[in-house]
């Protein structure tokens, strides 16, 4: 039976333009989704926009735009960003969609029916920027004496009637969940943080607001709107057609993987499983928290005006170079810094030299010396056999890394083969064989095509556009691009298209 794989990105707040951080989360999830598809799995990959709450309402008001119209516009900007990044989602959930309101309402009703929500009053601190209730003990006092949220965001005192979710009842069940399923939270840093947060004791969670209207009304009590995180988390159920269990997508639940930024790990690893337990719904298999990007050493912020526009980077460097850089620069899970210099270095050293030249050198010799015809596999020397053996095990090595969400390490495994293939070509020097032994030259070039085919096939999730072109140049047909297809060697005799360089060197314009 085909394995099915359900993966999600966070749904993005529509209170500002998409930037490189949003593109990063989308690309990382896309690499994983594409990897699982090429691995023959039945994938559901969803993303979306988080459109309710005070923050969005205030941003729209500040711009003098009607809230829904504002949300429509920014939501479309996020969709466009994802098209620009070649994000292969199967669906895009907007929390203002009717189907989502239905799902969130059904979840609320179920949790209430099961006795886990009660009416009370909230008095305490709220951070609109974080859309989070902040406990007295969590407040941080700045040198000037003002109290802020742990993230540094301003807080305000609120006092209003509120529905509460009995989170305190779930402490033991959550701790058991983490203990019995160590893979539920990744990587280790966030896992430890979440565990100690839960161990330190859970208070009931305020899950509705009455001081503004921009949200999903609480069933049977329209003075309240749902707390935006209750609403937002429910999007993952909207994606599988909840509450309609006969929906064809229902089989995609539970989700295999929620990709989230580390700052929202708590919402996904504490609140979300507790809501689901309360509703009697199966839990996702894993929440994986990725790190944060700074830009040239600085935190991205509206006030600094340094938020990087992903589209501008694509226009300057190309999409695949950007995707490659983001996945390569830092082990997935860690924090990183975007610097122009390091982007250009990786483009020139790793893409243009290591990979681009390898393909170009090999294919241009086939074009020039073999009339562009792919040679049959010849008699293999020991050197040929040992490098082909490396290529043969690459798919399973990368699959193991991907299984543990080690996106960067998986890419490094492919790069080891790129480097090995470069040493092989230098050692075998097919250009010299041309004068002494044409048959052997053809054999070497054929080995190179096989190596590059493996590399290009395995790199498709990371660089879908260029790898598609590279596979075409290698004579690999559309139906021969899955990981499984690598087990069937290409028949010799195919006429290859004229090779063209895929990774130009990036030359910085000098003043
Ligand atoms: N709407 C909530 C998520 C609800 S999920 C049910 C939210 N939205 S957000 O737009 O503020 O951020 C969403 C995600 O964007 C982050 O969790 C993270 O994945 C990504 N990033 C936003 N800024 C980032 C960086 N500077 N660096 C890396 N990724 C960051 O939180």
């Amino acid at each position: 039976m085909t394995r099915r794989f359900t993966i999600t990105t966070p749904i993005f707040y529509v209170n500002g333009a998409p930037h490189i951080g949003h593109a990063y989360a989308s690309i990382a999830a896309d690499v994983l989704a594409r990897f699982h598809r090429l691995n023959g799995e039945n994938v559901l990959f969803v993303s979306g926009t988080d459109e309710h709450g005070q923050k969005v309402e205030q941003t729209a008001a500040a711009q003098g735009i009607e809230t829904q119209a504002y949300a429509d516009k920014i939501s479309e900007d996020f969709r466009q960003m994802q098209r620009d990044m070649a994000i292969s989602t199967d669906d895009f959930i907007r929390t203002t969609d009717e189907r989502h309101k239905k799902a969130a309402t059904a979840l609320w009703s179920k949790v209430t029916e099961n006795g886990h929500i009660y009416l009370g009053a909230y008095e305490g601190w709220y951070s609109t920027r974080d859309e989070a209730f902040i406990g007295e003990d969590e407040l941080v006092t700045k040198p000037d004496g003002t109290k802020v949220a742990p993230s540094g965001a301003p807080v305000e005192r609120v006092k209003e009637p509120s529905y509460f979710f009995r989170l305190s009842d779930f402490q033991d069940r959550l701790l058991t969940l983490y203990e019995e399923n160590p893979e539920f939270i990744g990587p280790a840093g966030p896992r430890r943080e979440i565990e100690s947060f839960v161990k330190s004791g859970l208070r009931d969670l305020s899950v509705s607001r009455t001081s503004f209207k921009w949200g999903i009304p609480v069933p049977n009590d329209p003075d309240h709107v749902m707390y935006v995180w209750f609403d937002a988390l429910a999007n993952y159920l909207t994606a599988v057609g909840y509450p309609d269990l006969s929906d064809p997508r229902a089989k995609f639940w539970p989700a295999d993987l929620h990709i989230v930024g580390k700052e929202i790990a708590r919402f996904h690893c504490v609140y979300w499983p507790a809501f689901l337990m309360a509703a009697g719904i199966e839990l996702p298999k894993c929440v994986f928290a990725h790190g944060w990007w700074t830009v040239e050493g600085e935190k991205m912020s509206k006030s600094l005006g340094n938020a990087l526009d992903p589209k501008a980077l694509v226009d300057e460097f190309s999409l695949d170079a950007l995707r490659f850089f983001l996945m390569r620069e830092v082990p997935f899970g860690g924090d990183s810094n975007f610097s122009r210099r390091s982007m250009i270095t990786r483009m020139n050293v790793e893409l243009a030299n290591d990979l681009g030249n390898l393909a170009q050198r090999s294919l241009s010799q086939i074009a020039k010396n073999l009339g562009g015809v792919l040679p049959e596999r010849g008699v293999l020397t020991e050197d040929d056999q040992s490098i082909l053996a490396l290529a043969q095990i690459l798919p399973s090595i990368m699959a193991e890394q991907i299984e543990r969400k080690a996106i960067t390490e998986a890419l490094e495994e492919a790069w080891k083969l790129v480097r090995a293939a470069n040493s092989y070509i230098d050692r075998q020097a097919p250009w010299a064989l041309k004068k002494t032994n044409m048959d052997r030259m053809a054999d070497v070039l054929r080995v190179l095509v096989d190596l590059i085919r493996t590399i290009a096939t395995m790199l498709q999730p990371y660089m879908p556009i260029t790898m598609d072109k590279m596979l075409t140049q290698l004579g690999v047909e559309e139906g021969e691009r899955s990981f499984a297809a690598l087990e069937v060697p290409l028949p010799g005799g195919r006429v290859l298209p004229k090779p063209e360089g895929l990774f130009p060197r990036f030359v910085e314009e000098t003043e």
Side-chain angles (χ1 to χ4, degrees), residues 11 13 19 21-22 25 50 229 236 261 263-264 290-293 300:
I11 54 169
Y13 284 129
H19 62 57
H22 309 123
D50 188 353
W229 273 99
Y236 302 130
E263 82 293 355
I264 57 172
H290 68 75
W292 267 52
W293 284 85
M300 274 184 275

Side-chain angles (χ1 to χ4, degrees), residues 316 340 344 506-511:
E316 181 166 22
R340 223 188 128 72
I344 294 171
F506 185 90
V507 185
E508 187 81 278
E509 273 178 39
T510 45
E511 290 105 57

